[in-house]
Amino acid sequence: MTTEVAAFAGLPAGAESRPEALARTAPTRRPGRRRLLGWLGAHRRGGAHEPRLELVRYRLAPPNWPRDLPLSIVIIADPHAGGPQTPVEHLARAVGMANSLRPDLVVLLGDYLADGRFIAERPTMRQVAEILAGLHAPLGVHAVLGNHDWWECPAAQAGLRPLPEAAEAFAAAGLPVMHNELRRLVHCGRDVWLAGLGSQWAYRRGGAIHGAHDLEGTLAGIPDGAPSILLAHEPDIFPSVPEQVGVTLSGHTHGGQVRLRGYSPLVPSRYGNRYAYGAVEEEGRHLVVSGGIGNSALPIRLGMPPEVTLVELA
């Protein structure tokens, strides 16, 4: 397994080879709300600095992936478009970066709109979907929904509709989402199976969180020994993923959003830092957790710059 980081938008030459150069430093004084909102406004308008966007590349060799079937996958996760890290222009830059890589496959891992108090200029879900529809790859662009996509739809939360409104917006833009669904792709003349899982944090009811996922049912149609990839917004499903799956691709955590020396103090996962970020290998099974692009709750990313993620299987 190898990992590479390439930095974009404003880093000095050679900084991409120094991990410490990729971390943003915290202010020496804690800003008041007015100062913070002013900073966010300047950041959104480009008055401060253009949000950094990095390319993070992983090269994996899963034991059950054919050695003669190289496959490149670009991940765009957690844009939270309209937040301080992701004005729509920044999302468009991510699309341009992804297309420049010419991957075989592009996957979108959910949480598409900003949430919380620190929202800049929030687009509609349809606008976000249309920007993402500009992605191109021979094996297509495939999307799953995240927990925030579910939480933002009252009708879905009330059980009045099977999928959130986001699914309709993506379908209208030519990107029908995968929800506990299996798709057969043909790569180099061979079948590759792509599984898209429903969110494990879909419903907030009675102070508890419930999932809309069906791992066993989703994977049931994969032929024995066939190469396969699982898209799961939240990485917590990984311990239950059977070893027949070549790699599981997740987002959701934002890498902890604040990450110093490989540790994040707060991770939205019952496993803490175990699945907070990066490439994870357990008993020969592989997981990649993208740090994503946007932010949730707190309007900062410290030591975890926004990223587009490239996974190369060989």
Side-chain angles (χ1 to χ4, degrees):
M1 177 196 308
T2 58
T3 305
E4 295 178 0
V5 176
F8 293 80
L11 278 184
E16 65 272 13
S17 64
R18 303 195 307 273
E20 66 275 11
L22 305 180
R24 293 175 177 162
T25 56
T28 55
R29 294 177 56 197
R30 183 177 180 181
R33 179 177 172 83
R34 181 175 297 178
R35 287 184 58 201
L36 179 58
L37 289 174
W39 179 86
L40 292 175
H43 187 85
R44 181 179 72 246
R45 295 189 300 270
H49 64 275
E50 189 176 35
R52 181 185 301 152
L53 184 62
E54 294 183 356
L55 169 64
V56 178
R57 182 192 310 253
Y58 300 98
R59 294 187 176 95
L60 308 178
N64 56 357
W65 190 267
R67 298 284 79 82
D68 59 347
L69 192 65
L71 180 72
S72 59
I73 309 165
V74 159
I75 300 171
I76 291 181
D78 305 283
H80 288 282
Q85 293 288 341
T86 321
V88 291
E89 298 84 3
H90 195 45
L91 183 59
R93 286 179 57 224
V95 169
M97 181 190 296
N99 286 338
S100 72
L101 297 170
R102 298 184 178 181
D104 299 312
L105 174 67
V106 176
V107 299
L108 310 173
L109 297 186
D111 282 3
Y112 300 105
L113 286 182
D115 70 306
R117 293 181 299 169
F118 299 102
I119 296 176
E121 295 178 4
R122 194 176 193 238
T124 66
M125 187 66 77
R126 179 63 185 272
Q127 289 173 315
V128 170
E130 288 177 346
I131 291 172
L132 294 172
L135 291 159
H136 303 289
L139 298 182
V141 181
H142 306 267
V144 296
L145 299 181
N147 57 300
H148 286 279
D149 305 317
W150 281 85
W151 293 354
E152 296 256 334
C153 182
Q157 290 298 298
L160 300 178
R161 54 183 301 152
L163 290 176
E165 296 171 356
E168 293 181 3
F170 270 67
L175 295 172
V177 301
M178 302 180 71
H179 177 69
N180 299 323
E181 180 184 340
L182 196 61
R183 290 178 182 170
R184 182 177 66 89
L185 312 177
V186 179
H187 179 53
C188 298
R190 299 166 67 175
D191 289 348
V192 173
W193 295 87
L194 183 68
L197 197 64
S199 172
Q200 302 151 61
W201 287 28
Y203 299 104
R204 294 191 292 188
R205 294 171 177 168
I209 294 177
H210 306 275
H213 58 291
D214 178 6
L215 180 64
E216 183 177 355
T218 302
L219 301 180
I222 301 176
D224 290 342
S228 60
I229 300 160
L230 174 64
L231 311 182
H233 174 70
E234 300 92 351
D236 283 12
I237 197 70
F238 184 59
S240 301
V241 176
E243 57 185 33
Q244 76 180 88
V245 174
V247 64
T248 300
L249 306 178
S250 295
H252 179 63
T253 65
H254 309 176
Q257 206 162 289
V258 173
R259 190 166 182 82
L260 301 173
R261 298 183 180 274
Y263 175 80
S264 298
L266 183 62
V267 181
S269 165
R270 67 177 181 270
Y271 295 100
N273 275 265
R274 180 174 170 183
Y275 304 136
Y277 178 65
V280 178
E281 182 179 354
E282 292 183 354
E283 300 178 352
R285 298 174 303 115
H286 287 264
L287 165 72
V288 173
V289 182
S290 171
I293 298 175
N295 59 277
S296 180
L298 296 175
I300 59 171
R301 290 180 67 113
L302 177 63
M304 182 51 57
E307 71 177 61
V308 169
T309 313
L310 176 64
V311 176
E312 297 173 310
L313 302 178

